[in-house]
Amino acid sequence: MSKKPYAVVTGASSGIGFEIAKQLSKRGYRIVLVARNEKKLEKVQKILATESIILPADLTQRSECVRLMEETRELDIEVFVNNAGFGDCGRFSKTDIGKELDMIDVNVTAVHLLTKMILHRFKERTSGGYILNVASSAGLFPAGPYMATYYASKAYVTSLTSAIAGELKDENSDIYIGALCPGPVDTHFNDVANVEFSLKGISAKKCAIYAVNQMFKRKTIIVPTLRMKMAVFFVRLLPRSVMVSMTGRQQKKKRGY
């Protein structure tokens, strides 16, 4: 009996990435776990139901993205999840430029580069493949004052993913690409981003279960929870300036401005 193909999950040491890795493992996929913290990946590896490989990598570095693809060249990869990413909150004039540039490197550059490289690899296959880019509901809003860089980075991910999906559809390709766009999720994201959401978050496990199910149903934009679906719907109806103002007020509440 042949073994199930591999699924690569970046940012797999905690949160949504960890839970997605668990869900894919339950479906029989062998897992390639990618994150900076090797010790945390070792703990994840012990929990998974299937064979797994640990691949520590700092995705702020383009060379590390290339190394990731080179070291998995011989693996039969069927699923690739770009989950690694983080945010920050504060006035743009005062937020740390180093942290912001690292955010752009992980949230934008790494996603762009890894998506392109795995897409090329999938085109070499005869059976397609699945690419899931973890964005955010922030990427479906016009802008996010006080989380300016984060909102912009996630807008890039949703736009890029939707465009590639359109191209693949035109080609009648069996390769899938989609973007997961959750609202607040109970993870360590809040600590890194220096933010506390006013809306109650869903669990990372619930988000991951929904994401994986929708991915295999080939949904392009995946928005967990009815509340966030409604919010995204109203974004389309209100003028851009009104939405930016409303979003800014919500972010200010998180920072006590």
Side-chain angles (χ1 to χ4, degrees), residues 1 11-12 14 22 32 38 50 56 68 92 130 146 174 195 204 229:
M1 182 176 178
S14 63
K22 284 170 60 179
V32 179
E38 185 172 3
T50 52
L68 166 58
F92 183 75
Y130 295 84
Y146 305 98
D174 58 354
V195 66
K229 284 184 172 71

Side-chain angles (χ1 to χ4, degrees), residues 69-89:
M69 299 308 296
E70 289 177 346
E71 292 192 11
T72 59
R73 166 55 68 178
E74 301 304 317
L75 301 181
D76 179 18
I77 297 171
E78 185 175 274
V79 179
F80 198 101
V81 182
N82 277 309
N83 170 73
F86 66 93
D88 195 19
C89 187

Side-chain angles (χ1 to χ4, degrees), residues 5-177:
Y6 281 91
V8 177
V9 184
T10 71
S13 60
S14 63
I16 296 172
F18 166 54
E19 294 293 345
I20 287 178
K22 284 170 60 179
Q23 292 304 315
L24 291 171
S25 179
K26 286 180 180 179
R27 289 174 178 255
Y29 284 96
R30 292 175 287 172
I31 311 295
V32 179
L33 299 165
V34 183
R36 288 186 297 183
N37 193 315
E38 185 172 3
K39 289 184 178 179
K40 286 186 177 180
L41 290 179
E42 289 172 352
K43 291 180 180 179
V44 175
Q45 187 177 42
K46 293 176 182 178
I47 296 171
L48 298 182
T50 52
E51 173 189 333
S52 61
I53 297 170
I54 289 176
L55 209 167
D58 179 1
L59 299 184
T60 63
Q61 306 298 315
R62 296 182 188 181
S63 60
E64 291 283 88
C65 296
V66 173
R67 180 177 65 84
L68 166 58
M69 299 308 296
E70 289 177 346
E71 292 192 11
T72 59
R73 166 55 68 178
E74 301 304 317
L75 301 181
D76 179 18
I77 297 171
E78 185 175 274
V79 179
F80 198 101
V81 182
N82 277 309
N83 170 73
F86 66 93
D88 195 19
C89 187
R91 297 180 189 275
F92 183 75
S93 61
K94 295 183 177 180
T95 45
D96 180 76
I97 185 62
K99 187 175 183 179
E100 287 174 328
L101 292 178
D102 281 347
M103 191 193 312
I104 291 169
D105 286 336
V106 177
N107 294 11
V108 175
T109 306
V111 171
H112 185 112
L113 186 54
L114 291 172
T115 297
K116 184 174 282 285
M117 289 191 289
I118 195 61
L119 182 61
H120 286 167
R121 189 175 300 184
F122 283 166
K123 283 181 174 288
E124 297 171 359
R125 294 166 53 99
T126 57
S127 56
Y130 295 84
I131 305 169
L132 180 64
N133 291 331
V134 178
S136 166
S137 59
L140 301 173
F141 282 67
Y146 305 98
M147 289 189 78
T149 305
Y150 177 73
Y151 270 66
S153 72
K154 293 305 185 179
Y156 186 96
V157 175
T158 56
S159 177
L160 179 73
T161 302
S162 296
I164 297 169
E167 293 176 7
L168 293 172
K169 182 179 179 180
D170 285 347
E171 297 168 7
N172 293 316
S173 174
D174 58 354
I175 299 171
Y176 160 87
I177 187 168

Side-chain angles (χ1 to χ4, degrees), residues 220-254:
T220 302
I221 299 296
I222 302 169
V223 182
T225 78
L226 178 60
R227 176 179 287 182
M228 286 314 305
K229 284 184 172 71
M230 291 176 64
V232 170
F233 173 77
F234 282 112
V235 166
R236 303 171 187 168
L237 302 180
L238 295 175
R240 185 180 183 89
S241 59
V242 173
M243 279 307 309
V244 172
S245 178
M246 290 175 61
T247 305
R249 285 198 296 272
Q250 288 298 314
Q251 306 306 333
K252 287 170 73 174
K253 289 179 182 179
K254 300 171 188 176

